[in-house]
Amino acid sequence: QVQLVESGGGLVQAGGSLRLSCAASGRTFSNYAMGWFRQAPGKEREFVAAIAWSVPSTYLADSVKGRFTISRDNAKNMVYLQMNSLKPEDTAVYYCAADMATARSMGIMSHSGIHYWGQGTQVTVSS
């Protein structure tokens, strides 16, 4: 059974940085993409970033390009989201996700099509 466990959320001032971590377990993730989505109160869950597990491929939402970086450590089964230059509009619950997909396809598919989700971690950016 796939399990995704996020950590690293918190409260930060605008312009600050946070790093989210996602511990993945339960299967081998070759041919999978791992990603991050976020959901703000009253809004739809939206794609943030994705990375392919076995090839050097990433895909980021336009709203975070240049500020966020996604990476992975295959040996530790970990995925990270480094968030810099945070803005109040980045405030949301951030979810780790996994699916048998490419990084790009994870970015364009509906979030309802994603098979595996973590429980989420809150990120709050104060102005």
Side-chain angles (χ1 to χ4, degrees):
Q1 182 177 352
V2 172
Q3 190 172 20
L4 305 174
V5 180
E6 303 98 333
S7 60
L11 173 64
V12 63
Q13 287 190 326
S17 298
L18 278 176
R19 189 177 82 153
L20 304 183
S21 300
C22 174
S25 62
R27 64 163 297 130
T28 55
F29 292 97
S30 52
N31 300 320
Y32 270 61
M34 311 295 290
W36 291 93
F37 288 69
R38 65 187 181 187
Q39 188 165 17
K43 293 189 176 182
E44 286 271 323
R45 191 169 297 191
E46 66 173 3
F47 169 79
V48 176
I51 187 166
W53 191 258
S54 301
V55 297
S57 174
T58 62
Y59 189 72
L60 280 83
D62 287 344
S63 59
V64 305
K65 282 180 182 176
R67 300 189 299 124
F68 291 11
T69 303
I70 187 169
S71 62
R72 52 174 164 76
D73 184 332
N74 289 24
K76 296 181 179 179
N77 270 19
M78 296 290 295
V79 180
Y80 304 100
L81 184 68
Q82 178 66 44
M83 305 185 294
N84 299 328
S85 302
L86 282 160
K87 305 175 182 179
E89 51 264 44
D90 294 317
T91 295
V93 177
Y94 283 70
Y95 295 92
C96 183
D99 209 316
M100 190 176 289
T102 65
R104 185 175 182 275
S105 62
M106 178 173 273
I108 61 176
M109 71 169 59
S110 168
H111 65 84
S112 61
I114 301 294
H115 280 86
Y116 302 110
W117 294 98
Q119 82 286 353
T121 186
Q122 177 71 46
V123 171
T124 303
V125 184
S126 62
S127 57

